[in-house]
PDB file of all heavy atoms in Angstrom:
ATOM      1  N   GLY E  41       4.728   5.991 -13.004  1.00 96.00           N
ATOM      2  CA  GLY E  41       5.264   4.694 -13.422  1.00 96.00           C
ATOM      3  C   GLY E  41       4.210   3.599 -13.387  1.00 96.00           C
ATOM      4  O   GLY E  41       3.027   3.845 -13.141  1.00 96.00           O
ATOM      5  N   PRO E  42       4.638   2.386 -13.634  1.00 95.00           N
ATOM      6  CA  PRO E  42       3.710   1.255 -13.669  1.00 95.00           C
ATOM      7  C   PRO E  42       3.118   0.947 -12.293  1.00 95.00           C
ATOM      8  O   PRO E  42       3.752   1.173 -11.270  1.00 95.00           O
ATOM      9  CB  PRO E  42       4.570   0.096 -14.172  1.00 95.00           C
ATOM     10  CG  PRO E  42       5.975   0.479 -13.829  1.00 95.00           C
ATOM     11  CD  PRO E  42       6.020   1.975 -13.874  1.00 95.00           C
ATOM     12  N   ALA E  43       1.887   0.459 -12.301  1.00 94.00           N
ATOM     13  CA  ALA E  43       1.209   0.053 -11.063  1.00 94.00           C
ATOM     14  C   ALA E  43       1.720  -1.338 -10.681  1.00 94.00           C
ATOM     15  O   ALA E  43       1.345  -2.331 -11.304  1.00 94.00           O
ATOM     16  CB  ALA E  43      -0.299   0.040 -11.258  1.00 94.00           C
ATOM     17  N   LEU E  44       2.578  -1.367  -9.694  1.00 95.00           N
ATOM     18  CA  LEU E  44       3.198  -2.614  -9.254  1.00 95.00           C
ATOM     19  C   LEU E  44       3.093  -2.744  -7.750  1.00 95.00           C
ATOM     20  O   LEU E  44       2.747  -1.800  -7.055  1.00 95.00           O
ATOM     21  CB  LEU E  44       4.688  -2.606  -9.644  1.00 95.00           C
ATOM     22  CG  LEU E  44       5.028  -2.431 -11.116  1.00 95.00           C
ATOM     23  CD1 LEU E  44       6.514  -2.150 -11.294  1.00 95.00           C
ATOM     24  CD2 LEU E  44       4.618  -3.662 -11.896  1.00 95.00           C
ATOM     25  N   ARG E  45       3.426  -3.930  -7.246  1.00 96.00           N
ATOM     26  CA  ARG E  45       3.488  -4.131  -5.800  1.00 96.00           C
ATOM     27  C   ARG E  45       4.783  -3.530  -5.260  1.00 96.00           C
ATOM     28  O   ARG E  45       5.674  -3.168  -6.010  1.00 96.00           O
ATOM     29  CB  ARG E  45       3.406  -5.619  -5.495  1.00 96.00           C
ATOM     30  CG  ARG E  45       2.019  -6.148  -5.840  1.00 96.00           C
ATOM     31  CD  ARG E  45       1.867  -7.615  -5.768  1.00 96.00           C
ATOM     32  NE  ARG E  45       2.604  -8.249  -4.689  1.00 96.00           N
ATOM     33  CZ  ARG E  45       2.645  -9.545  -4.517  1.00 96.00           C
ATOM     34  NH1 ARG E  45       1.981 -10.351  -5.307  1.00 96.00           N
ATOM     35  NH2 ARG E  45       3.349 -10.063  -3.536  1.00 96.00           N
ATOM     36  N   PHE E  46       4.871  -3.412  -3.940  1.00 95.00           N
ATOM     37  CA  PHE E  46       5.971  -2.707  -3.284  1.00 95.00           C
ATOM     38  C   PHE E  46       7.342  -3.121  -3.813  1.00 95.00           C
ATOM     39  O   PHE E  46       8.101  -2.290  -4.322  1.00 95.00           O
ATOM     40  CB  PHE E  46       5.889  -2.922  -1.761  1.00 95.00           C
ATOM     41  CG  PHE E  46       6.891  -2.113  -0.994  1.00 95.00           C
ATOM     42  CD1 PHE E  46       6.571  -0.850  -0.526  1.00 95.00           C
ATOM     43  CD2 PHE E  46       8.150  -2.618  -0.736  1.00 95.00           C
ATOM     44  CE1 PHE E  46       7.494  -0.099   0.183  1.00 95.00           C
ATOM     45  CE2 PHE E  46       9.085  -1.870  -0.030  1.00 95.00           C
ATOM     46  CZ  PHE E  46       8.755  -0.613   0.426  1.00 95.00           C
ATOM     47  N   GLU E  47       7.701  -4.377  -3.661  1.00 96.00           N
ATOM     48  CA  GLU E  47       9.039  -4.830  -4.055  1.00 96.00           C
ATOM     49  C   GLU E  47       9.246  -4.720  -5.560  1.00 96.00           C
ATOM     50  O   GLU E  47      10.366  -4.491  -6.018  1.00 96.00           O
ATOM     51  CB  GLU E  47       9.318  -6.255  -3.574  1.00 96.00           C
ATOM     52  CG  GLU E  47       9.637  -6.345  -2.100  1.00 96.00           C
ATOM     53  CD  GLU E  47      10.907  -5.582  -1.689  1.00 96.00           C
ATOM     54  OE1 GLU E  47      11.863  -5.476  -2.493  1.00 96.00           O
ATOM     55  OE2 GLU E  47      10.950  -5.079  -0.550  1.00 96.00           O
ATOM     56  N   GLU E  48       8.176  -4.870  -6.340  1.00 97.00           N
ATOM     57  CA  GLU E  48       8.285  -4.697  -7.796  1.00 97.00           C
ATOM     58  C   GLU E  48       8.595  -3.239  -8.145  1.00 97.00           C
ATOM     59  O   GLU E  48       9.365  -2.969  -9.065  1.00 97.00           O
ATOM     60  CB  GLU E  48       6.998  -5.138  -8.491  1.00 97.00           C
ATOM     61  CG  GLU E  48       6.751  -6.628  -8.375  1.00 97.00           C
ATOM     62  CD  GLU E  48       5.353  -7.027  -8.812  1.00 97.00           C
ATOM     63  OE1 GLU E  48       4.406  -6.230  -8.667  1.00 97.00           O
ATOM     64  OE2 GLU E  48       5.209  -8.156  -9.312  1.00 97.00           O
ATOM     65  N   LYS E  49       7.996  -2.301  -7.404  1.00 97.00           N
ATOM     66  CA  LYS E  49       8.293  -0.878  -7.615  1.00 97.00           C
ATOM     67  C   LYS E  49       9.746  -0.586  -7.255  1.00 97.00           C
ATOM     68  O   LYS E  49      10.420   0.176  -7.948  1.00 97.00           O
ATOM     69  CB  LYS E  49       7.372   0.010  -6.775  1.00 97.00           C
ATOM     70  CG  LYS E  49       5.954   0.080  -7.266  1.00 97.00           C
ATOM     71  CD  LYS E  49       5.138   0.988  -6.352  1.00 97.00           C
ATOM     72  CE  LYS E  49       3.677   0.939  -6.693  1.00 97.00           C
ATOM     73  NZ  LYS E  49       2.883   1.753  -5.760  1.00 97.00           N
ATOM     74  N   VAL E  50      10.214  -1.178  -6.170  1.00 97.00           N
ATOM     75  CA  VAL E  50      11.611  -1.001  -5.768  1.00 97.00           C
ATOM     76  C   VAL E  50      12.526  -1.506  -6.884  1.00 97.00           C
ATOM     77  O   VAL E  50      13.458  -0.809  -7.301  1.00 97.00           O
ATOM     78  CB  VAL E  50      11.906  -1.729  -4.434  1.00 97.00           C
ATOM     79  CG1 VAL E  50      13.401  -1.717  -4.120  1.00 97.00           C
ATOM     80  CG2 VAL E  50      11.119  -1.105  -3.290  1.00 97.00           C
ATOM     81  N   SER E  51      12.241  -2.691  -7.407  1.00 97.00           N
ATOM     82  CA  SER E  51      13.048  -3.249  -8.498  1.00 97.00           C
ATOM     83  C   SER E  51      12.981  -2.376  -9.737  1.00 97.00           C
ATOM     84  O   SER E  51      13.999  -2.166 -10.417  1.00 97.00           O
ATOM     85  CB  SER E  51      12.590  -4.666  -8.843  1.00 97.00           C
ATOM     86  OG  SER E  51      12.897  -5.540  -7.802  1.00 97.00           O
ATOM     87  N   TRP E  52      11.796  -1.863 -10.044  1.00 97.00           N
ATOM     88  CA  TRP E  52      11.631  -0.990 -11.203  1.00 97.00           C
ATOM     89  C   TRP E  52      12.507   0.258 -11.061  1.00 97.00           C
ATOM     90  O   TRP E  52      13.224   0.628 -11.998  1.00 97.00           O
ATOM     91  CB  TRP E  52      10.156  -0.610 -11.356  1.00 97.00           C
ATOM     92  CG  TRP E  52       9.907   0.394 -12.430  1.00 97.00           C
ATOM     93  CD1 TRP E  52       9.926   0.186 -13.777  1.00 97.00           C
ATOM     94  CD2 TRP E  52       9.600   1.786 -12.233  1.00 97.00           C
ATOM     95  NE1 TRP E  52       9.654   1.365 -14.433  1.00 97.00           N
ATOM     96  CE2 TRP E  52       9.450   2.355 -13.516  1.00 97.00           C
ATOM     97  CE3 TRP E  52       9.433   2.587 -11.116  1.00 97.00           C
ATOM     98  CZ2 TRP E  52       9.137   3.710 -13.696  1.00 97.00           C
ATOM     99  CZ3 TRP E  52       9.133   3.924 -11.292  1.00 97.00           C
ATOM    100  CH2 TRP E  52       8.982   4.468 -12.572  1.00 97.00           C
ATOM    101  N   LEU E  53      12.470   0.902  -9.896  1.00 97.00           N
ATOM    102  CA  LEU E  53      13.313   2.085  -9.687  1.00 97.00           C
ATOM    103  C   LEU E  53      14.797   1.741  -9.800  1.00 97.00           C
ATOM    104  O   LEU E  53      15.576   2.488 -10.391  1.00 97.00           O
ATOM    105  CB  LEU E  53      13.051   2.716  -8.314  1.00 97.00           C
ATOM    106  CG  LEU E  53      11.865   3.652  -8.184  1.00 97.00           C
ATOM    107  CD1 LEU E  53      11.769   4.160  -6.749  1.00 97.00           C
ATOM    108  CD2 LEU E  53      11.953   4.814  -9.151  1.00 97.00           C
ATOM    109  N   ARG E  54      15.173   0.616  -9.243  1.00 97.00           N
ATOM    110  CA  ARG E  54      16.578   0.214  -9.276  1.00 97.00           C
ATOM    111  C   ARG E  54      17.053  -0.013 -10.702  1.00 97.00           C
ATOM    112  O   ARG E  54      18.128   0.438 -11.084  1.00 97.00           O
ATOM    113  CB  ARG E  54      16.785  -1.057  -8.454  1.00 97.00           C
ATOM    114  CG  ARG E  54      16.590  -0.824  -6.963  1.00 97.00           C
ATOM    115  CD  ARG E  54      16.845  -2.074  -6.172  1.00 97.00           C
ATOM    116  NE  ARG E  54      18.274  -2.396  -6.281  1.00 97.00           N
ATOM    117  CZ  ARG E  54      18.753  -3.624  -6.292  1.00 97.00           C
ATOM    118  NH1 ARG E  54      17.948  -4.658  -6.199  1.00 97.00           N
ATOM    119  NH2 ARG E  54      20.042  -3.843  -6.375  1.00 97.00           N
ATOM    120  N   HIS E  55      16.251  -0.712 -11.492  1.00 97.00           N
ATOM    121  CA  HIS E  55      16.691  -1.086 -12.828  1.00 97.00           C
ATOM    122  C   HIS E  55      16.465   0.016 -13.857  1.00 97.00           C
ATOM    123  O   HIS E  55      17.309   0.242 -14.717  1.00 97.00           O
ATOM    124  CB  HIS E  55      16.009  -2.383 -13.255  1.00 97.00           C
ATOM    125  CG  HIS E  55      16.457  -3.554 -12.438  1.00 97.00           C
ATOM    126  ND1 HIS E  55      16.138  -3.697 -11.108  1.00 97.00           N
ATOM    127  CD2 HIS E  55      17.222  -4.612 -12.739  1.00 97.00           C
ATOM    128  CE1 HIS E  55      16.682  -4.807 -10.636  1.00 97.00           C
ATOM    129  NE2 HIS E  55      17.349  -5.393 -11.609  1.00 97.00           N
ATOM    130  N   GLU E  56      15.353   0.700 -13.789  1.00 97.00           N
ATOM    131  CA  GLU E  56      15.047   1.749 -14.773  1.00 97.00           C
ATOM    132  C   GLU E  56      15.776   3.059 -14.488  1.00 97.00           C
ATOM    133  O   GLU E  56      16.041   3.831 -15.396  1.00 97.00           O
ATOM    134  CB  GLU E  56      13.541   2.023 -14.820  1.00 97.00           C
ATOM    135  CG  GLU E  56      12.724   0.894 -15.419  1.00 97.00           C
ATOM    136  CD  GLU E  56      13.007   0.648 -16.892  1.00 97.00           C
ATOM    137  OE1 GLU E  56      13.134   1.634 -17.649  1.00 97.00           O
ATOM    138  OE2 GLU E  56      13.118  -0.528 -17.271  1.00 97.00           O
ATOM    139  N   HIS E  57      16.062   3.313 -13.217  1.00 96.00           N
ATOM    140  CA  HIS E  57      16.639   4.602 -12.835  1.00 96.00           C
ATOM    141  C   HIS E  57      17.979   4.457 -12.108  1.00 96.00           C
ATOM    142  O   HIS E  57      18.489   5.448 -11.578  1.00 96.00           O
ATOM    143  CB  HIS E  57      15.635   5.397 -11.989  1.00 96.00           C
ATOM    144  CG  HIS E  57      14.380   5.690 -12.733  1.00 96.00           C
ATOM    145  ND1 HIS E  57      14.289   6.710 -13.655  1.00 96.00           N
ATOM    146  CD2 HIS E  57      13.174   5.070 -12.725  1.00 96.00           C
ATOM    147  CE1 HIS E  57      13.065   6.723 -14.178  1.00 96.00           C
ATOM    148  NE2 HIS E  57      12.378   5.735 -13.619  1.00 96.00           N
ATOM    149  N   ASN E  58      18.484   3.235 -12.056  1.00 96.00           N
ATOM    150  CA  ASN E  58      19.818   2.979 -11.509  1.00 96.00           C
ATOM    151  C   ASN E  58      19.985   3.484 -10.076  1.00 96.00           C
ATOM    152  O   ASN E  58      20.993   4.095  -9.734  1.00 96.00           O
ATOM    153  CB  ASN E  58      20.884   3.589 -12.422  1.00 96.00           C
ATOM    154  CG  ASN E  58      22.239   2.960 -12.206  1.00 96.00           C
ATOM    155  OD1 ASN E  58      22.332   1.789 -11.858  1.00 96.00           O
ATOM    156  ND2 ASN E  58      23.290   3.722 -12.404  1.00 96.00           N
ATOM    157  N   LEU E  59      18.985   3.243  -9.243  1.00 97.00           N
ATOM    158  CA  LEU E  59      19.055   3.650  -7.842  1.00 97.00           C
ATOM    159  C   LEU E  59      19.578   2.513  -6.975  1.00 97.00           C
ATOM    160  O   LEU E  59      19.367   1.338  -7.273  1.00 97.00           O
ATOM    161  CB  LEU E  59      17.670   4.036  -7.328  1.00 97.00           C
ATOM    162  CG  LEU E  59      17.070   5.329  -7.845  1.00 97.00           C
ATOM    163  CD1 LEU E  59      15.699   5.545  -7.229  1.00 97.00           C
ATOM    164  CD2 LEU E  59      17.962   6.507  -7.544  1.00 97.00           C
ATOM    165  N   ALA E  60      20.208   2.867  -5.883  1.00 96.00           N
ATOM    166  CA  ALA E  60      20.606   1.888  -4.879  1.00 96.00           C
ATOM    167  C   ALA E  60      19.342   1.321  -4.224  1.00 96.00           C
ATOM    168  O   ALA E  60      18.308   1.990  -4.154  1.00 96.00           O
ATOM    169  CB  ALA E  60      21.490   2.551  -3.825  1.00 96.00           C
ATOM    170  N   TYR E  61      19.442   0.103  -3.728  1.00 95.00           N
ATOM    171  CA  TYR E  61      18.283  -0.554  -3.114  1.00 95.00           C
ATOM    172  C   TYR E  61      17.697   0.277  -1.981  1.00 95.00           C
ATOM    173  O   TYR E  61      16.487   0.483  -1.914  1.00 95.00           O
ATOM    174  CB  TYR E  61      18.677  -1.946  -2.599  1.00 95.00           C
ATOM    175  CG  TYR E  61      17.549  -2.644  -1.893  1.00 95.00           C
ATOM    176  CD1 TYR E  61      16.512  -3.215  -2.612  1.00 95.00           C
ATOM    177  CD2 TYR E  61      17.513  -2.710  -0.508  1.00 95.00           C
ATOM    178  CE1 TYR E  61      15.465  -3.843  -1.970  1.00 95.00           C
ATOM    179  CE2 TYR E  61      16.471  -3.340   0.146  1.00 95.00           C
ATOM    180  CZ  TYR E  61      15.452  -3.902  -0.590  1.00 95.00           C
ATOM    181  OH  TYR E  61      14.403  -4.521   0.054  1.00 95.00           O
ATOM    182  N   GLY E  62      18.529   0.779  -1.089  1.00 95.00           N
ATOM    183  CA  GLY E  62      18.031   1.542   0.067  1.00 95.00           C
ATOM    184  C   GLY E  62      17.291   2.799  -0.348  1.00 95.00           C
ATOM    185  O   GLY E  62      16.246   3.122   0.212  1.00 95.00           O
ATOM    186  N   HIS E  63      17.813   3.502  -1.338  1.00 96.00           N
ATOM    187  CA  HIS E  63      17.142   4.713  -1.817  1.00 96.00           C
ATOM    188  C   HIS E  63      15.823   4.374  -2.492  1.00 96.00           C
ATOM    189  O   HIS E  63      14.804   5.034  -2.255  1.00 96.00           O
ATOM    190  CB  HIS E  63      18.041   5.490  -2.773  1.00 96.00           C
ATOM    191  CG  HIS E  63      19.227   6.083  -2.108  1.00 96.00           C
ATOM    192  ND1 HIS E  63      20.437   6.196  -2.715  1.00 96.00           N
ATOM    193  CD2 HIS E  63      19.384   6.604  -0.867  1.00 96.00           C
ATOM    194  CE1 HIS E  63      21.296   6.754  -1.883  1.00 96.00           C
ATOM    195  NE2 HIS E  63      20.680   7.006  -0.751  1.00 96.00           N
ATOM    196  N   ALA E  64      15.829   3.340  -3.322  1.00 97.00           N
ATOM    197  CA  ALA E  64      14.594   2.939  -4.004  1.00 97.00           C
ATOM    198  C   ALA E  64      13.533   2.530  -2.991  1.00 97.00           C
ATOM    199  O   ALA E  64      12.371   2.934  -3.091  1.00 97.00           O
ATOM    200  CB  ALA E  64      14.878   1.793  -4.980  1.00 97.00           C
ATOM    201  N   LYS E  65      13.925   1.768  -2.000  1.00 96.00           N
ATOM    202  CA  LYS E  65      12.980   1.315  -0.980  1.00 96.00           C
ATOM    203  C   LYS E  65      12.439   2.493  -0.169  1.00 96.00           C
ATOM    204  O   LYS E  65      11.243   2.558   0.127  1.00 96.00           O
ATOM    205  CB  LYS E  65      13.639   0.293  -0.064  1.00 96.00           C
ATOM    206  CG  LYS E  65      12.676  -0.349   0.899  1.00 96.00           C
ATOM    207  CD  LYS E  65      13.310  -1.510   1.602  1.00 96.00           C
ATOM    208  CE  LYS E  65      12.304  -2.137   2.531  1.00 96.00           C
ATOM    209  NZ  LYS E  65      12.790  -3.363   3.131  1.00 96.00           N
ATOM    210  N   ALA E  66      13.305   3.437   0.172  1.00 96.00           N
ATOM    211  CA  ALA E  66      12.871   4.616   0.927  1.00 96.00           C
ATOM    212  C   ALA E  66      11.879   5.446   0.110  1.00 96.00           C
ATOM    213  O   ALA E  66      10.890   5.943   0.652  1.00 96.00           O
ATOM    214  CB  ALA E  66      14.074   5.461   1.335  1.00 96.00           C
ATOM    215  N   ILE E  67      12.129   5.591  -1.187  1.00 97.00           N
ATOM    216  CA  ILE E  67      11.218   6.349  -2.044  1.00 97.00           C
ATOM    217  C   ILE E  67       9.856   5.671  -2.118  1.00 97.00           C
ATOM    218  O   ILE E  67       8.821   6.332  -1.964  1.00 97.00           O
ATOM    219  CB  ILE E  67      11.821   6.519  -3.460  1.00 97.00           C
ATOM    220  CG1 ILE E  67      13.010   7.487  -3.401  1.00 97.00           C
ATOM    221  CG2 ILE E  67      10.771   7.009  -4.457  1.00 97.00           C
ATOM    222  CD1 ILE E  67      13.883   7.462  -4.645  1.00 97.00           C
ATOM    223  N   ILE E  68       9.833   4.377  -2.324  1.00 97.00           N
ATOM    224  CA  ILE E  68       8.553   3.663  -2.417  1.00 97.00           C
ATOM    225  C   ILE E  68       7.831   3.693  -1.078  1.00 97.00           C
ATOM    226  O   ILE E  68       6.612   3.881  -1.025  1.00 97.00           O
ATOM    227  CB  ILE E  68       8.752   2.214  -2.912  1.00 97.00           C
ATOM    228  CG1 ILE E  68       9.386   2.207  -4.309  1.00 97.00           C
ATOM    229  CG2 ILE E  68       7.430   1.456  -2.900  1.00 97.00           C
ATOM    230  CD1 ILE E  68       8.628   2.974  -5.370  1.00 97.00           C
ATOM    231  N   HIS E  69       8.558   3.539   0.010  1.00 95.00           N
ATOM    232  CA  HIS E  69       7.927   3.597   1.336  1.00 95.00           C
ATOM    233  C   HIS E  69       7.312   4.983   1.563  1.00 95.00           C
ATOM    234  O   HIS E  69       6.171   5.098   2.023  1.00 95.00           O
ATOM    235  CB  HIS E  69       8.950   3.267   2.418  1.00 95.00           C
ATOM    236  CG  HIS E  69       8.385   3.280   3.797  1.00 95.00           C
ATOM    237  ND1 HIS E  69       7.388   2.416   4.212  1.00 95.00           N
ATOM    238  CD2 HIS E  69       8.659   4.063   4.859  1.00 95.00           C
ATOM    239  CE1 HIS E  69       7.076   2.686   5.467  1.00 95.00           C
ATOM    240  NE2 HIS E  69       7.833   3.676   5.886  1.00 95.00           N
ATOM    241  N   GLU E  70       8.054   6.025   1.211  1.00 96.00           N
ATOM    242  CA  GLU E  70       7.537   7.387   1.372  1.00 96.00           C
ATOM    243  C   GLU E  70       6.318   7.609   0.468  1.00 96.00           C
ATOM    244  O   GLU E  70       5.342   8.239   0.878  1.00 96.00           O
ATOM    245  CB  GLU E  70       8.632   8.414   1.061  1.00 96.00           C
ATOM    246  CG  GLU E  70       8.222   9.840   1.314  1.00 96.00           C
ATOM    247  CD  GLU E  70       8.002  10.157   2.792  1.00 96.00           C
ATOM    248  OE1 GLU E  70       8.433   9.382   3.682  1.00 96.00           O
ATOM    249  OE2 GLU E  70       7.387  11.213   3.064  1.00 96.00           O
ATOM    250  N   TYR E  71       6.381   7.087  -0.724  1.00 96.00           N
ATOM    251  CA  TYR E  71       5.250   7.192  -1.654  1.00 96.00           C
ATOM    252  C   TYR E  71       3.999   6.555  -1.034  1.00 96.00           C
ATOM    253  O   TYR E  71       2.917   7.150  -1.038  1.00 96.00           O
ATOM    254  CB  TYR E  71       5.593   6.510  -2.980  1.00 96.00           C
ATOM    255  CG  TYR E  71       4.472   6.510  -3.971  1.00 96.00           C
ATOM    256  CD1 TYR E  71       4.232   7.622  -4.777  1.00 96.00           C
ATOM    257  CD2 TYR E  71       3.651   5.400  -4.116  1.00 96.00           C
ATOM    258  CE1 TYR E  71       3.189   7.625  -5.691  1.00 96.00           C
ATOM    259  CE2 TYR E  71       2.607   5.396  -5.027  1.00 96.00           C
ATOM    260  CZ  TYR E  71       2.388   6.510  -5.817  1.00 96.00           C
ATOM    261  OH  TYR E  71       1.354   6.513  -6.719  1.00 96.00           O
ATOM    262  N   ASP E  72       4.162   5.353  -0.488  1.00 95.00           N
ATOM    263  CA  ASP E  72       3.030   4.658   0.138  1.00 95.00           C
ATOM    264  C   ASP E  72       2.524   5.403   1.368  1.00 95.00           C
ATOM    265  O   ASP E  72       1.311   5.470   1.596  1.00 95.00           O
ATOM    266  CB  ASP E  72       3.416   3.221   0.499  1.00 95.00           C
ATOM    267  CG  ASP E  72       3.505   2.306  -0.720  1.00 95.00           C
ATOM    268  OD1 ASP E  72       3.070   2.718  -1.827  1.00 95.00           O
ATOM    269  OD2 ASP E  72       4.020   1.186  -0.561  1.00 95.00           O
ATOM    270  N   LEU E  73       3.422   5.964   2.177  1.00 94.00           N
ATOM    271  CA  LEU E  73       3.001   6.731   3.353  1.00 94.00           C
ATOM    272  C   LEU E  73       2.168   7.946   2.942  1.00 94.00           C
ATOM    273  O   LEU E  73       1.114   8.218   3.529  1.00 94.00           O
ATOM    274  CB  LEU E  73       4.217   7.222   4.146  1.00 94.00           C
ATOM    275  CG  LEU E  73       4.990   6.196   4.958  1.00 94.00           C
ATOM    276  CD1 LEU E  73       6.246   6.835   5.530  1.00 94.00           C
ATOM    277  CD2 LEU E  73       4.117   5.610   6.055  1.00 94.00           C
ATOM    278  N   ARG E  74       2.645   8.664   1.937  1.00 95.00           N
ATOM    279  CA  ARG E  74       1.918   9.860   1.486  1.00 95.00           C
ATOM    280  C   ARG E  74       0.592   9.501   0.822  1.00 95.00           C
ATOM    281  O   ARG E  74      -0.386  10.223   0.991  1.00 95.00           O
ATOM    282  CB  ARG E  74       2.790  10.687   0.539  1.00 95.00           C
ATOM    283  CG  ARG E  74       3.966  11.314   1.279  1.00 95.00           C
ATOM    284  CD  ARG E  74       4.783  12.190   0.381  1.00 95.00           C
ATOM    285  NE  ARG E  74       5.982  12.661   1.053  1.00 95.00           N
ATOM    286  CZ  ARG E  74       6.706  13.665   0.619  1.00 95.00           C
ATOM    287  NH1 ARG E  74       6.379  14.309  -0.488  1.00 95.00           N
ATOM    288  NH2 ARG E  74       7.781  14.036   1.277  1.00 95.00           N
ATOM    289  N   ARG E  75       0.572   8.425   0.080  1.00 93.00           N
ATOM    290  CA  ARG E  75      -0.679   7.974  -0.548  1.00 93.00           C
ATOM    291  C   ARG E  75      -1.708   7.601   0.525  1.00 93.00           C
ATOM    292  O   ARG E  75      -2.870   7.974   0.440  1.00 93.00           O
ATOM    293  CB  ARG E  75      -0.408   6.777  -1.463  1.00 93.00           C
ATOM    294  CG  ARG E  75      -1.637   6.390  -2.293  1.00 93.00           C
ATOM    295  CD  ARG E  75      -1.348   5.236  -3.179  1.00 93.00           C
ATOM    296  NE  ARG E  75      -1.017   4.098  -2.322  1.00 93.00           N
ATOM    297  CZ  ARG E  75      -0.591   2.940  -2.747  1.00 93.00           C
ATOM    298  NH1 ARG E  75      -0.363   2.741  -4.013  1.00 93.00           N
ATOM    299  NH2 ARG E  75      -0.342   1.972  -1.906  1.00 93.00           N
ATOM    300  N   ALA E  76      -1.272   6.917   1.558  1.00 92.00           N
ATOM    301  CA  ALA E  76      -2.162   6.536   2.653  1.00 92.00           C
ATOM    302  C   ALA E  76      -2.672   7.790   3.374  1.00 92.00           C
ATOM    303  O   ALA E  76      -3.842   7.874   3.742  1.00 92.00           O
ATOM    304  CB  ALA E  76      -1.461   5.622   3.624  1.00 92.00           C
ATOM    305  N   ALA E  77      -1.805   8.782   3.565  1.00 91.00           N
ATOM    306  CA  ALA E  77      -2.195  10.014   4.236  1.00 91.00           C
ATOM    307  C   ALA E  77      -3.249  10.768   3.415  1.00 91.00           C
ATOM    308  O   ALA E  77      -4.184  11.357   3.955  1.00 91.00           O
ATOM    309  CB  ALA E  77      -0.983  10.904   4.487  1.00 91.00           C
ATOM    310  N   ARG E  78      -3.105  10.754   2.077  1.00 89.00           N
ATOM    311  CA  ARG E  78      -4.095  11.418   1.207  1.00 89.00           C
ATOM    312  C   ARG E  78      -5.457  10.732   1.313  1.00 89.00           C
ATOM    313  O   ARG E  78      -6.476  11.387   1.286  1.00 89.00           O
ATOM    314  CB  ARG E  78      -3.627  11.390  -0.256  1.00 89.00           C
ATOM    315  CG  ARG E  78      -2.569  12.407  -0.579  1.00 89.00           C
ATOM    316  CD  ARG E  78      -2.346  12.564  -2.071  1.00 89.00           C
ATOM    317  NE  ARG E  78      -2.150  11.314  -2.773  1.00 89.00           N
ATOM    318  CZ  ARG E  78      -0.969  10.806  -3.134  1.00 89.00           C
ATOM    319  NH1 ARG E  78       0.131  11.443  -2.827  1.00 89.00           N
ATOM    320  NH2 ARG E  78      -0.888   9.678  -3.787  1.00 89.00           N
ATOM    321  N   LYS E  79      -5.445   9.416   1.441  1.00 87.00           N
ATOM    322  CA  LYS E  79      -6.711   8.668   1.556  1.00 87.00           C
ATOM    323  C   LYS E  79      -7.437   9.010   2.854  1.00 87.00           C
ATOM    324  O   LYS E  79      -8.652   8.984   2.906  1.00 87.00           O
ATOM    325  CB  LYS E  79      -6.452   7.168   1.472  1.00 87.00           C
ATOM    326  CG  LYS E  79      -6.142   6.713   0.073  1.00 87.00           C
ATOM    327  CD  LYS E  79      -5.952   5.211   0.032  1.00 87.00           C
ATOM    328  CE  LYS E  79      -5.625   4.748  -1.373  1.00 87.00           C
ATOM    329  NZ  LYS E  79      -5.373   3.309  -1.429  1.00 87.00           N
TER     330      LYS E  79
END
Side-chain angles (χ1 to χ4, degrees):
L44 302 168
R45 292 172 37 184
F46 186 91
E47 284 298 328
E48 293 168 329
K49 287 180 188 177
V50 172
S51 291
W52 174 74
L53 277 179
R54 292 182 67 213
H55 293 69
E56 291 294 318
H57 299 281
N58 200 31
L59 289 180
Y61 177 76
H63 292 145
K65 187 170 181 173
I67 290 166
I68 299 303
H69 181 63
E70 185 67 16
Y71 177 83
D72 286 349
L73 287 173
R74 292 183 186 196
R75 188 180 62 186
R78 282 193 310 261
K79 285 182 181 177

